[in-house]
Every structure is written in structure tokens, then in C-alpha cells.
Amino acid sequence: VVFVAFGSLLFASVLTYFMKNKFLLLGGSIVATFCMIIADSAPIILDDCIQPLEAVLRSNYWLTIHVLTITISYAAFFLAMALGDIGLFYYLKNEKKHAAEIKTLAQSVYRAIQIGICFLAPGIILGGIWADYSWGRFWGWDPKETWALIALLGYIAVLHGRLVGWIRDFGMIASGVATFALVIMAWYGVNFVLGAGLHSYGFGAGGVEYVAAFVVLHILLIIYAAMVRHERGKAVKKA
């Protein structure tokens, strides 16, 4: 979680340098602050027992390369979600008045997702190499592997939809928020909800109600913003 806070600020700083977007550092700061609060409160909410790694997985080399590569991708996706939240509030405030800000935020979400994929895809491959080294097979449809792949495919679908014009600015902003639910399932859900598979070193308990509320509130925000846009569109047509 601490590494995600670092990654979000790192990517926000890099993208700000190239895109000159004032919202990027705001989004990165929000993510970093939120993550540090989670890290500070985790021992209270979550199970504070840390079990030792299985002997076959005791490799600092692979643990560092694979886990941190995956985690840094989550930082980019979390940044995309924060930027999406800002974009949704602009839609609720006044879509026409803030058209320029919305367009900039949509492009920033797109770039953040691109960065996330560039880390998640190699991270999954590196995990397969480690799995082959440790368990004797590259891929076994373990829940952690499967949900990491689902998250990757979900974000790739969003990028392809944007590329061919199926997903426009609102869709891009909403997708940046909604698809983070896939990351939450891969990052938290498999270990703290399903509790199944070979990644048993990360299993735990606690915090389900908070995570569920976080996801549901964001989905409701997307639905509400879509409804507001629809009603405003109908009012404009009538006028």
C-alpha cells in the first residue's frame, strides 16, 4: 500500500511534466494520502498476523521484481480512478462550462491506464516465470493469476474502445473509475475474500465492509453522473 502511494505520486509527476495537467498532481496526492491512511489503519482493521512465506517462495529477487512490478501498476490504475472521480464531479457541476477540464482529465485517465498496463502485463509474465521456478508450471489458473489477467484484459478493452472511438470522454472517465474494481478484486478480494489458491502467503481477513462500500459508492457515483447527463441532454433537446 505504501508503494502504491509512492507510485501514484511518481506517475503523476512524470505525466504532469509531459502533459502540463494541473489535475494530475491533485489526483496523485489524493491517492497517496488515502493509501497512507489505509497503511496506518491496516493493523486495526485487518488481521495483524503475518505468516512466514512458504520455503519455495522465499526469494527476495522474485518477490521484489514480480510483486513490486504488479503493485506499481496498481498505483497507475489508482491514479486513473482518482482522476476519473474528479472528472465525474466536473460532469455533475457543469459539463459544458468545464468541457476543457473534462477533456484533459479523460486524456490523463487514458495515459495513466496505458502506464498501468505497461507494468501489469510484464508483472504477470514475471509471476509466471517465478511460478514455473517455484511450482513447476507457468500458468495454472490460480485465483490470483486469473484475476490479475481479468484486470489486464479489462483495461486493455478500455484502451481499445477508446482507440476505435467506442469510448468517448465520459466513457473514459467512468471506465477509469469502474475498472479499478477489477484491481481491488485481484489485489484485495482474492486474498481477503476468496482465500483460495497458491498465494496463501497473502491471505487475511477484515475490512470487507469498507472495501465493498468503497466500490459501491463509486459505482453509484458513475450511475448518478450518467443519469444527470441524460436528464440535461433531454432538457437541451426540449429547449
Side-chain angles (χ1 to χ4, degrees):
V1 175
V2 173
F3 200 71
V4 168
F6 163 74
S8 65
L9 283 176
L10 174 65
F11 293 141
S13 299
V14 172
L15 287 174
T16 299
Y17 177 80
F18 288 103
M19 300 183 67
K20 312 300 181 185
N21 179 2
K22 61 183 179 180
F23 298 108
L24 283 161
L25 286 178
L26 173 61
S29 299
I30 292 172
V31 172
T33 302
F34 184 71
C35 286
M36 295 307 293
I37 292 172
I38 292 176
D40 182 62
S41 60
I44 300 173
I45 299 172
L46 303 177
D47 184 357
D48 59 357
C49 297
I50 300 177
Q51 303 298 328
L53 281 172
E54 299 175 19
V56 72
L57 297 175
R58 290 177 189 172
S59 170
N60 285 333
Y61 174 78
W62 283 112
L63 193 64
T64 302
I65 291 179
H66 164 59
V67 175
L68 292 190
T69 302
I70 293 284
T71 305
I72 199 71
S73 74
Y74 294 167
F77 295 140
F78 210 158
L79 175 62
M81 192 211 71
L83 295 171
D85 281 338
I86 297 172
L88 289 175
F89 280 115
Y90 271 116
Y91 271 109
L92 292 173
K93 191 175 181 182
N94 192 320
E95 180 179 347
K96 289 187 176 181
K97 183 178 179 181
H98 299 287
E101 289 88 347
I102 288 171
K103 192 171 189 62
T104 300
L105 283 164
Q107 188 64 16
S108 299
V109 170
Y110 182 70
R111 295 302 181 199
I113 291 177
Q114 283 180 317
I115 292 174
I117 287 177
C118 287
F119 282 94
L120 182 58
I124 292 173
I125 295 171
L126 289 169
I129 296 172
W130 187 16
D132 184 57
Y133 174 79
S134 300
W135 299 324
R137 96 286 188 278
F138 180 83
W139 190 268
W141 297 105
D142 181 79
K144 195 76 168 179
E145 299 168 350
T146 303
W147 275 103
L149 179 61
I150 290 172
L152 176 64
L153 294 176
Y155 279 105
I156 288 176
V158 170
L159 293 190
H160 278 72
R162 177 72 169 182
L163 186 64
V164 300
W166 294 343
I167 297 177
R168 301 192 182 278
D169 288 346
F170 180 78
M172 194 70 234
I173 287 173
S175 296
V177 176
T179 45
F180 193 70
L182 301 176
V183 173
I184 290 176
M185 187 61 198
W187 190 14
Y188 171 86
V190 173
N191 295 73
F192 289 85
V193 179
L194 295 182
L198 292 171
H199 290 74
S200 59
Y201 60 87
F203 289 173
V208 176
E209 61 276 14
Y210 300 103
V211 176
F214 180 83
V215 173
V216 170
L217 286 174
H218 279 87
I219 297 300
L220 291 176
L221 175 62
I222 294 171
I223 294 172
Y224 179 62
M227 291 174 61
V228 169
R229 288 191 73 229
H230 179 69
E231 292 300 320
R232 286 176 179 170
K234 286 171 62 177
V236 170
K237 287 180 180 179
K238 288 180 180 179

